[in-house]
Amino acid sequence: MIRDEISVSIQTLRWKCIESRAYSKRLHYGRFALSPLRKGRADTIGIAMRRALLAEVEGTCITRVKLENIKHEYSTIIGIEESVHDILMNLKEIVLRSDSYGIREASIYIVGPRNVTAQDIILPPSVKIIDTTQHIARLTKSITSDIRLQIEKNRGYIIHSPNNYQDGIFPIDAVFMPVCDANYSIHSYGSENEIREVLFLEIWTNGGLTPREALYEASRNLIDLFIPFLHGEEQNIEGMNKGSSNMPPFPLSHVFTDTGETKEKIAFKHIFIDQLELPPRIYNCLRRANIHTLLDLLNYSREDLMRIEHFGKESVEQVLEVLRKRFAIDPPRN
């Protein structure tokens, strides 16, 4: 029975990965269970998690393509079998994975005749192609192909208006969602007076994230959405109507004290450093030093930060500037 398969405690919620499969490089599946839940809670969590998985999880894709001396999407290029439109659609199908934010540059430079696949893309170090066999174009003559690409990490999707092309730059409808589908089901057990529920979550991804990673990110994003209600200050409605922007993104005026966990300390645990919009190099250095949340970062003094590998004085100043502007925090020197 399902109740026997899942080790649960009536007092503690526990989750378990029941099944994990990779059908191909671009189709991963995971099934997870959360229990024991009181009656009605499984439905509440299932609805929220499904929406977060489909809309809040970030992905990486190609957003712009530059082709020299090409003025129209439906143009043809001598020596290339596909039209420009077909090349753009093939590039749109490429699945990428990246841990850094901002616009990244990539390129394709080849000499025909030959088939061009995703493996021929020259990528920045922070970006990885999930399926390198994805077809892009076929060069039928001895010509040189030089294609420039822009890669971005974001969430949701961006649809570009038609005919929005200039200087050979072609925007691509960007679908950043690595979760292809998500579903949930509920199993109830127990007596009439004490019904317990097990929530089952099924997640399919395109390989840009594993189902387990998608579940983690969706859960974290849901927590972030509710933190302002728990620890933020109420904003005056009249001020909101006037378009007031004096309130900082997270209105915290001081760091936690030594007398137990204050509201600020609890909040800092749930603010992750990728929300601070730091430069990719600084973000990666902090991650390698096992600094994942704002609370982790505040445990470091300025001198401690200087000791982090590849972390110089300029990097420390950038971190301090973010802490001052967004949280009114100035870490100690020693």
Side-chain angles (χ1 to χ4, degrees), residues 112-127:
R114 57 167 295 184
N115 286 324
V116 185
T117 65
Q119 188 174 6
D120 297 305
I121 300 177
I122 303 171
L123 292 168
S126 59
V127 183

Side-chain angles (χ1 to χ4, degrees), residues 248-268:
F250 206 94
L252 304 172
S253 58
H254 58 279
V255 188
F256 52 88
T257 64
D258 295 332
T259 57
E261 287 196 338
T262 64
K263 293 181 179 180
E264 289 83 356
K265 182 173 180 179
I266 296 172
F268 293 155

Side-chain angles (χ1 to χ4, degrees), residues 28-67:
H28 292 235
Y29 170 78
R31 187 166 184 252
F32 307 89
L34 176 67
S35 66
L37 295 163
R38 292 182 181 177
K39 185 178 180 181
R41 288 186 177 180
D43 203 38
T44 301
I45 298 174
I47 293 172
M49 284 301 301
R50 185 175 185 274
R51 293 178 68 93
L53 283 164
L54 294 174
E56 297 294 328
V57 179
E58 296 182 330
T60 305
C61 62
I62 298 170
T63 56
R64 283 179 175 79
V65 180
K66 184 174 183 180
L67 299 166

Side-chain angles (χ1 to χ4, degrees), residues 16 58 65 108 118 134 170 188 208 211 230-231 259 266 322 330-331:
K16 180 179 179 181
E58 296 182 330
V65 180
I108 306 172
Q134 168 67 39
F170 299 85
S188 301
L230 296 174
H231 310 297
T259 57
I266 296 172
V322 171
D330 195 8

Side-chain angles (χ1 to χ4, degrees), residues 99-102 104 272-287 291-294 297 305 311 314-323 326-327:
D99 295 325
S100 59
Y101 293 85
R104 298 288 177 268
F272 293 81
I273 59 171
D274 57 1
Q275 298 171 255
L276 305 183
E277 299 179 356
L278 296 167
R281 189 185 64 80
I282 295 178
Y283 169 77
N284 291 329
C285 288
L286 294 176
R287 287 289 298 271
I291 299 175
H292 302 286
T293 66
L294 181 57
L297 182 59
L305 291 174
F311 213 77
E314 184 179 346
S315 300
V316 173
E317 290 301 325
Q318 288 181 271
V319 171
L320 296 179
E321 184 179 359
V322 171
L323 294 178
R326 298 190 60 177
F327 306 100

Side-chain angles (χ1 to χ4, degrees), residues 153-180:
K153 183 174 182 179
N154 209 326
R155 66 183 60 175
Y157 55 87
I158 299 176
I159 298 179
H160 294 280
S161 59
N163 302 322
N164 187 22
Y165 313 126
Q166 54 182 356
D167 299 327
I169 298 176
F170 299 85
I172 297 179
D173 292 342
V175 181
F176 295 102
M177 299 175 288
V179 178
C180 307

Side-chain angles (χ1 to χ4, degrees), residues 21-247:
R21 294 184 185 179
Y23 293 102
S24 67
K25 291 182 179 180
R26 298 170 62 172
L27 182 57
H28 292 235
Y29 170 78
R31 187 166 184 252
F32 307 89
L34 176 67
S35 66
L37 295 163
R38 292 182 181 177
K39 185 178 180 181
R41 288 186 177 180
D43 203 38
T44 301
I45 298 174
I47 293 172
M49 284 301 301
R50 185 175 185 274
R51 293 178 68 93
L53 283 164
L54 294 174
E56 297 294 328
V57 179
E58 296 182 330
T60 305
C61 62
I62 298 170
T63 56
R64 283 179 175 79
V65 180
K66 184 174 183 180
L67 299 166
E68 295 291 344
N69 303 320
I70 302 298
K71 297 182 178 180
H72 198 275
E73 178 184 1
Y74 296 99
S75 301
T76 57
I77 304 175
I78 298 175
I80 298 182
E81 191 173 285
E82 289 81 3
S83 67
V84 172
H85 174 77
D86 292 334
I87 294 173
L88 296 178
M89 292 301 99
N90 291 336
L91 290 169
K92 181 180 176 180
E93 294 297 319
I94 294 175
V95 179
L96 302 171
R97 178 188 177 103
S98 174
D99 295 325
S100 59
Y101 293 85
I103 297 176
R104 298 288 177 268
E105 303 289 339
S107 63
I108 306 172
Y109 185 82
I110 53 173
V111 179
R114 57 167 295 184
N115 286 324
V116 185
T117 65
Q119 188 174 6
D120 297 305
I121 300 177
I122 303 171
L123 292 168
S126 59
V127 183
K128 177 185 176 182
I129 295 176
I130 300 302
D131 183 7
T132 57
T133 64
Q134 168 67 39
H135 177 74
I136 297 176
R138 173 172 171 75
L139 275 62
T140 58
K141 296 183 178 181
S142 180
I143 63 170
T144 301
S145 176
D146 187 8
I147 303 175
R148 304 291 174 176
L149 309 173
Q150 280 190 358
I151 297 171
E152 296 181 45
K153 183 174 182 179
N154 209 326
R155 66 183 60 175
Y157 55 87
I158 299 176
I159 298 179
H160 294 280
S161 59
N163 302 322
N164 187 22
Y165 313 126
Q166 54 182 356
D167 299 327
I169 298 176
F170 299 85
I172 297 179
D173 292 342
V175 181
F176 295 102
M177 299 175 288
V179 178
C180 307
D181 198 4
N183 195 15
Y184 76 93
S185 58
I186 301 170
H187 172 76
S188 301
Y189 64 91
S191 62
E192 293 184 0
N193 296 328
E194 194 174 345
I195 296 177
R196 291 286 184 263
E197 295 179 337
V198 183
L199 171 65
F200 293 97
L201 281 167
E202 292 183 288
I203 304 171
W204 292 262
T205 70
N206 63 4
L209 288 178
T210 65
R212 187 188 292 260
E213 290 172 327
L215 180 64
Y216 171 81
E217 186 171 333
S219 303
R220 190 189 71 184
N221 289 338
L222 281 177
I223 292 172
D224 292 343
L225 290 174
F226 288 105
I227 284 178
F229 292 106
L230 296 174
H231 310 297
E233 297 175 2
E234 183 178 358
Q235 185 176 13
N236 187 287
I237 296 178
E238 182 179 352
M240 292 173 64
N241 293 335
K242 292 179 180 180
S244 174
S245 59
N246 295 326
M247 189 174 72

